[in-house]
């Protein structure tokens, strides 16, 4: 079940995240990078995001590792002041449509969180959940996101958190002014 806040933010998040992916793919607006994270910005509308790709990806079906084709696999922390996203919004795209009604488990050094899904996007249920995930990411070394595709494939993507703190702070500062 998607919570009311998540439902009301779903369109904003999906639009912003889709814009961020498209902009990252086409943009030369990468303004900073540190270790495994980068910061991108756009001006119309004003958006700033820190983003990374997984270091490892494992896809399984019926307990067996399988080869699958996936689109971009990205973990974001984004800001979009004009849409009221002034604190970091953690968003994930697994490169495929998630199973209907499924969730994504986020494991940061043994602490687990849950993200809700819609289409190819996943996000936390509330700003307070985002804040908890961000705090864990700042303290952690890796985030492992486990999800299920609409075809039943279970994916496990491991993201490095090296550079996360510096890049999320950089993105926030760029969108603050």
């Amino acid at each position: 079940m998607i919570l009311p806040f998540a439902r009301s933010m779903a369109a904003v998040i999906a639009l912003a995240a889709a814009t961020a992916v498209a902009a990252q793919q086409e943009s030369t607006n990468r303004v900073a990078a540190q270790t495994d994270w980068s910061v991108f910005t756009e001006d119309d509308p004003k958006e700033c995001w820190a983003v990374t790709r997984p270091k490892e990806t494992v896809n399984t079906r019926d307990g067996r590792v399988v080869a699958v084709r996936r689109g971009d696999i990205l973990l974001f922390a984004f800001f979009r002041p004009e849409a009221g996203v002034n604190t970091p919004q953690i968003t994930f795209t697994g490169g495929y449509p998630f199973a209907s009604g499924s969730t994504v488990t986020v494991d940061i050094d043994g602490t687990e969180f849950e993200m809700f899904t819609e289409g190819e996007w996943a996000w936390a249920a509330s700003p307070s959940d985002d804040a908890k995930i961000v705090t864990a990411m700042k303290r952690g070394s890796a985030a492992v996101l486990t999800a299920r595709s609409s075809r039943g494939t279970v994916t496990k993507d491991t993201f490095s958190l090296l550079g996360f703190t510096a890049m999320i702070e950089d993105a926030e500062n760029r969108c603050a002014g």
Side-chain angles (χ1 to χ4, degrees), residues 115-130:
M115 298 175 87
F116 295 91
T117 64
E118 185 173 315
E120 294 188 13
W121 298 99
W123 62 92
S126 69
S128 66
D129 286 350
D130 275 317

Side-chain angles (χ1 to χ4, degrees), residues 10-142:
V12 170
I13 292 165
L15 176 62
T19 302
V21 169
Q24 179 181 351
Q25 291 173 344
E26 299 172 11
S27 177
T28 57
N29 293 346
R30 185 170 105 163
V31 294
Q34 184 168 338
T35 316
D36 295 320
W37 286 77
S38 297
V39 172
F40 290 79
T41 62
E42 285 297 325
D43 292 325
D44 190 21
K46 180 77 170 175
E47 295 178 324
C48 309
W49 64 95
V51 63
T52 191
R53 294 183 179 277
K55 290 293 188 178
E56 181 181 20
T57 298
V58 178
N59 308 298
T60 60
R61 190 174 299 129
D62 300 324
R64 290 192 193 157
V65 174
V66 294
V68 296
R69 286 194 299 178
R70 294 170 67 183
D72 288 324
I73 307 164
L74 301 167
L75 182 60
F76 295 91
F78 78 87
F79 302 85
R80 193 172 195 196
E82 292 172 21
V85 182
N86 297 306
T87 57
Q89 178 78 54
I90 302 300
T91 306
F92 168 65
T93 183
Y96 59 81
F98 294 109
S100 180
S102 69
T103 60
V104 173
T105 301
V106 181
D107 183 323
I108 302 168
D109 296 340
T111 301
E112 288 192 0
F113 304 92
E114 187 174 70
M115 298 175 87
F116 295 91
T117 64
E118 185 173 315
E120 294 188 13
W121 298 99
W123 62 92
S126 69
S128 66
D129 286 350
D130 275 317
K132 291 173 189 171
I133 295 170
V134 167
T135 297
M137 289 174 73
K138 285 181 175 181
R139 294 178 181 158
S141 60

